[in-house]
């Protein structure tokens, strides 16, 4: 059974938000999240998606928030406690090193990578780590900045081109599944292992 996006308690009451550039509450409905799933949020930041996913997978599921910044992970921990989630685990890691997440091989139903690849010169390594931890038929969801957003977001030269990312991920052996509507400033794609 697909999980629905929870409406209470209000995440806005604990200060989540992405500056209006992304709307996690709308986007997650396209991910196919179900109760009991195990999900890794690569580059979770302050947990805009992590908390929603934790609510959606329920008590029988698990969400791993992975980030290199301990302050971001502290925010995830605070937000998870504020909404009573006990199924969110924050892990400090460098995702550019294959194996560094500490997650077992083939352990995740889904890996989410939001606004991470534009920051990295080691995009293939991040995708390899995602593939390593995905179960067979597991799903990789990628969301990143589009080009030409009128000056919003990172510099154009740092952005990860949508076609290039699709080709990179396919080159790592994942199969393109469908586009994801990530709004005006971002593109989204879903792949299966």
């Amino acid at each position: 059974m697909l999980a629905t996006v929870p409406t209470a308690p209000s995440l806005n009451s604990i200060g989540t938000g992405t500056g209006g550039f992304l709307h996690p509450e709308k986007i997650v409905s396209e991910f196919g999240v179900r109760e009991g799933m195990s999900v890794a949020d690569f580059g979770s930041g302050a947990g805009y998606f992590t908390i929603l996913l934790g609510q959606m997978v329920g008590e029988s599921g698990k969400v791993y928030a992975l980030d290199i910044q301990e302050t971001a992970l502290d925010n995830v921990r605070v937000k998870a406690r504020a909404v009573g989630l006990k199924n969110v685990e924050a892990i400090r890691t460098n995702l550019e090193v294959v194996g560094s997440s500490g997650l077992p091989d083939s352990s995740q139903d889904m890996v989410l990578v939001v606004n991470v690849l534009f920051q990295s010169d080691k995009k293939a390594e991040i995708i390899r780590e995602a593939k390593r931890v995905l179960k067979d038929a597991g799903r990789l969801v990628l969301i990143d900045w589009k080009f030409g957003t009128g000056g919003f977001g990172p510099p154009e030269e740092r952005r990860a081109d949508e076609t290039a990312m699709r080709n990179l991920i396919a080159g790592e052996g994942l199969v393109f599944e469908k586009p994801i509507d990530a709004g005006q400033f971002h593109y989204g794609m879903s792949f299966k292992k």
Side-chain angles (χ1 to χ4, degrees), residues 47-68:
Y48 304 121
F49 285 92
T50 308
I51 301 304
L52 285 171
L53 293 168
Q55 292 173 323
M56 293 172 76
V57 300
E59 291 179 16
S60 62
K62 182 84 173 181
V63 177
Y64 297 92
L66 299 114
D67 205 283
I68 198 164

Side-chain angles (χ1 to χ4, degrees), residues 18-169:
T18 60
F21 295 114
L22 270 174
H23 300 283
E25 299 84 0
K26 289 173 64 175
I27 298 170
V28 294
S29 64
E30 294 194 47
F31 294 176
V33 176
R34 296 180 311 278
E35 286 189 31
M37 288 179 79
S38 185
V39 179
D41 186 358
F42 277 26
S44 61
Y48 304 121
F49 285 92
T50 308
I51 301 304
L52 285 171
L53 293 168
Q55 292 173 323
M56 293 172 76
V57 300
E59 291 179 16
S60 62
K62 182 84 173 181
V63 177
Y64 297 92
L66 299 114
D67 205 283
I68 198 164
Q69 296 181 12
E70 190 63 42
T71 54
L73 295 172
D74 285 342
N75 283 329
V76 170
R77 291 178 189 107
V78 166
K79 290 173 184 175
R81 276 193 302 271
V83 295
L85 291 177
K86 296 179 180 165
N87 62 349
V88 172
E89 182 178 338
I91 301 171
R92 185 166 188 249
T93 185
N94 179 356
L95 294 167
E96 294 180 335
V97 177
V98 176
S100 68
S101 71
L103 298 174
D105 292 355
S106 304
S107 62
Q108 303 301 300
D109 296 295
M110 180 180 294
V111 173
L112 178 63
V113 182
V114 177
N115 286 345
V116 171
L117 295 184
F118 83 86
Q119 301 177 61
S120 176
D121 293 326
K122 296 184 177 182
K123 294 168 181 52
E125 288 84 345
I126 295 170
I127 299 306
R128 285 183 198 122
E129 179 63 1
K131 180 182 177 185
R132 182 188 71 78
V133 303
L134 276 173
K135 295 178 181 178
D136 287 340
R139 181 176 289 127
L140 168 67
V141 174
L142 171 68
I143 297 172
D144 221 308
W145 286 92
K146 290 178 183 176
F147 283 102
T149 57
F152 295 108
E156 294 281 323
E157 64 271 11
R158 291 298 305 165
R159 297 176 193 228
D161 176 70
E162 182 175 0
T163 301
M165 290 305 94
R166 183 172 173 173
N167 292 337
L168 171 71
I169 295 168

